[in-house]
């Protein structure tokens, strides 16, 4: 579940967990209606950002806590705890207390405790928010690997786009309490359904305009944009009537940079107004005479300490029709 602050992500998670009752609609888990069941009767466990470990208990005791509540036999419980410790690569740390662990280790203990009861659904509310950047990136892959091993469905709340793209097989983008699009990370990025999704996921150039024509044989839409000298060509499957107000979305990495006018489906020219050097890429803001500011991304294939282009330099930009997405919403 991906969205900005206040979009309803955590509330939806709490509804699934049973901590909140929905005003309408039903909650079904694996085909079973659990709407009226209390949290402890649902096949669900939740992992909080704070981890909520018991400080007076050892790692093993923390993991065993839920199993004791379920009155699991002692021998089976001991085996399950050991299995969970090995799963999160902490087999030698079962006797330590939470205050003797690093942040990443505490996060893994919380995960092991949540998985020990073998829930059908594991809910994670910003589980990596307390970790530093490098540890968070490493833990993302660890979580994905653990999920593949145990086969439990994970539903995670985050406002971090990269985290969602890295960890998810499906992303639901939320806005103002509604899910506006559900798709795979790649489809969400390449084919956003609305302007909001296009702007929320990754960098984007949006050009406002009106449809001049739509050729159904080729699937090409011609759009006259307000601040571009030439119409944009874009591919769009569904028919869009002439005169319809639309937005055309083009990702910065889809745009090629030239020092002379190229032959291409779409061409624009402008002057470099801003440059950002990010190590692996440089970002250029190119302003056209009509006022459009186009964001362009150039990958650094060769080693260089200087950007390839300078402020106020004139650049020609081009992109294919397949690199543009027409948005009607």
């Amino acid at each position: 579940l991906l969205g900005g602050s206040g979009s309803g992500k955590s509330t939806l998670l709490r509804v699934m967990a049973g901590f909140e009752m929905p005003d309408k609609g039903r909650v079904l888990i694996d085909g079973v209606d659990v709407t009226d069941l209390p949290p402890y009767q649902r096949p669900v466990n939740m992992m909080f950002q704070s981890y909520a470990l018991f400080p007076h208990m050892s790692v093993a005791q923390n993991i065993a806590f839920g199993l004791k509540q379920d009155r699991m036999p002692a021998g089976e419980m001991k085996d399950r705890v050991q299995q969970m410790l090995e799963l999160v690569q902490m087999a030698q740390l079962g006797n330590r207390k939470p205050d003797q662990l690093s942040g990443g280790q505490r996060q893994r203990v919380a995960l092991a405790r949540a998985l020990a009861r073998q829930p059908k659904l594991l809910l994670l509310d910003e589980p990596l928010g307390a970790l530093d950047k490098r540890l968070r990136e490493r833990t993302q892959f660890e979580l994905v690997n653990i999920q593949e091993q145990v086969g439990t469905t994970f539903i995670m709340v985050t406002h971090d786009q990269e985290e969602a793209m890295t960890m998810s097989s499906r992303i639901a983008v939320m806005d103002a309490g509604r899910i506006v699009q559900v798709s795979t990370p790649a489809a969400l990025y390449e084919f956003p359904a609305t302007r909001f999704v296009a702007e929320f996921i990754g960098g984007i150039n949006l050009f406002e305009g009106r449809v001049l024509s739509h050729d159904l044989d080729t699937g090409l839409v011609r759009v006259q944009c307000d601040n571009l000298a030439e119409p944009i060509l874009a591919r769009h499957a569904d028919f869009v009537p002439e005169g319809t107000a639309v937005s055309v979305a083009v990702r910065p990495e889809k745009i090629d940079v030239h020092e002379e006018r190229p032959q291409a489906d779409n061409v624009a020219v402008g002057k470099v107004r801003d440059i950002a050097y990010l190590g692996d890429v440089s970002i250029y803001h190119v302003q056209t005479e009509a006022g459009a500011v186009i964001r362009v991304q150039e990958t650094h294939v060769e080693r260089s300490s200087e950007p390839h282009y300078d402020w106020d330099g004139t650049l020609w930009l081009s992109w294919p029709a397949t690199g543009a997405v027409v948005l009607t919403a």
Side-chain angles (χ1 to χ4, degrees):
L1 302 176
L2 176 65
S5 298
S7 61
K9 308 182 300 296
S10 293
T11 300
L12 182 54
L13 210 68
R14 291 175 63 82
V15 167
M16 286 186 271
F19 301 141
E20 302 274 359
M21 285 297 293
D23 296 323
K24 56 184 178 180
R26 313 297 294 170
V27 179
L28 282 78
I29 298 175
D30 198 17
V32 178
D33 191 334
V34 299
T35 311
D36 299 321
L37 293 181
Y40 60 87
Q41 289 185 2
R42 299 187 182 199
V44 170
N45 227 333
M46 192 162 186
M47 181 177 159
F48 298 94
Q49 183 176 348
S50 63
Y51 309 145
L53 298 177
F54 299 113
H56 63 287
M57 293 184 182
S58 69
V59 166
Q61 289 170 334
N62 265 282
I63 296 172
F65 180 79
L67 304 178
K68 277 189 176 179
Q69 301 297 107
D70 292 343
R71 304 191 180 195
M72 178 179 281
E76 187 181 343
M77 181 166 58
K78 183 179 178 182
D79 290 344
R80 181 73 59 80
V81 169
Q82 188 60 35
Q83 181 186 354
M84 290 297 108
L85 285 169
E86 290 173 1
L87 181 69
V88 297
Q89 300 174 16
M90 296 186 65
Q92 309 305 318
L93 303 178
N95 293 324
R96 290 196 182 181
K97 296 287 179 65
D99 63 0
Q100 296 174 302
L101 303 175
S102 68
Q105 288 172 328
R106 287 197 292 270
Q107 189 261 357
R108 282 189 271 168
V109 175
L111 178 64
R113 184 179 63 183
L115 288 172
R117 297 176 67 187
Q118 297 181 336
K120 289 186 176 179
L121 195 62
L122 180 62
L123 308 176
L124 303 101
D125 192 358
E126 308 235 14
L128 310 182
L131 305 181
D132 64 68
K133 184 174 177 6
R134 290 190 67 182
L135 182 56
R136 187 165 67 244
E137 288 175 353
R138 190 170 77 240
T139 307
Q140 288 171 3
F141 290 104
E142 288 180 358
L143 271 176
V144 171
N145 291 333
I146 289 171
Q147 190 277 329
E148 289 177 349
Q149 288 181 55
V150 298
T152 301
T153 297
F154 285 20
I155 297 185
M156 185 181 73
V157 157
T158 183
H159 62 270
D160 187 317
Q161 303 169 22
E162 287 187 12
E163 189 167 277
M165 299 287 276
T166 299
M167 298 181 64
S168 304
S169 55
R170 287 196 302 165
I171 299 175
V173 180
M174 295 192 69
D175 180 35
R178 294 180 179 275
I179 293 175
V180 292
Q181 186 174 353
V182 181
S183 196
T184 64
L188 203 67
Y189 184 84
E190 299 291 356
F191 304 102
T194 67
R195 180 185 175 120
F196 174 82
V197 175
E199 289 184 300
F200 195 80
I201 305 288
I204 198 74
N205 294 293
L206 283 172
F207 305 105
E208 310 295 333
R210 293 191 174 274
V211 173
L212 295 176
S213 64
H214 190 172
D215 187 333
L216 290 177
D217 292 332
T218 62
L220 289 176
V221 182
R222 288 178 71 246
V223 180
Q224 182 60 63
C225 296
D226 304 334
N227 48 13
L228 288 178
E230 301 178 20
I232 289 180
L233 276 178
R235 291 197 183 277
H236 193 66
D238 299 325
F239 178 69
V240 185
E242 182 180 332
T244 303
V246 296
S247 301
V248 180
V250 184
R251 297 285 182 192
E253 72 275 10
K254 308 294 186 193
I255 300 175
D256 291 323
V257 181
H258 315 267
E259 295 187 27
E260 297 179 355
R261 183 182 176 102
Q263 291 293 320
D265 294 334
N266 298 291
V267 176
V269 63
K271 291 188 178 296
V272 177
R273 293 299 180 225
D274 294 298
I275 301 173
Y277 177 80
L278 304 180
D280 55 341
V281 298
S282 283
I283 305 295
Y284 298 93
H285 289 176
V286 179
Q287 186 170 12
T288 68
E289 284 190 11
V293 177
I294 304 175
R295 177 186 167 112
V296 183
Q297 179 175 303
E298 185 183 49
T299 303
H300 298 152
V301 179
E302 298 179 2
R303 296 179 66 188
S304 173
S305 61
E306 299 294 333
H308 289 177
Y309 309 107
D310 209 347
W311 280 268
D312 291 326
T314 299
L315 293 180
W316 289 88
L317 310 178
S318 69
W319 61 94
T322 52
V325 178
V326 177
L327 303 172
T328 56

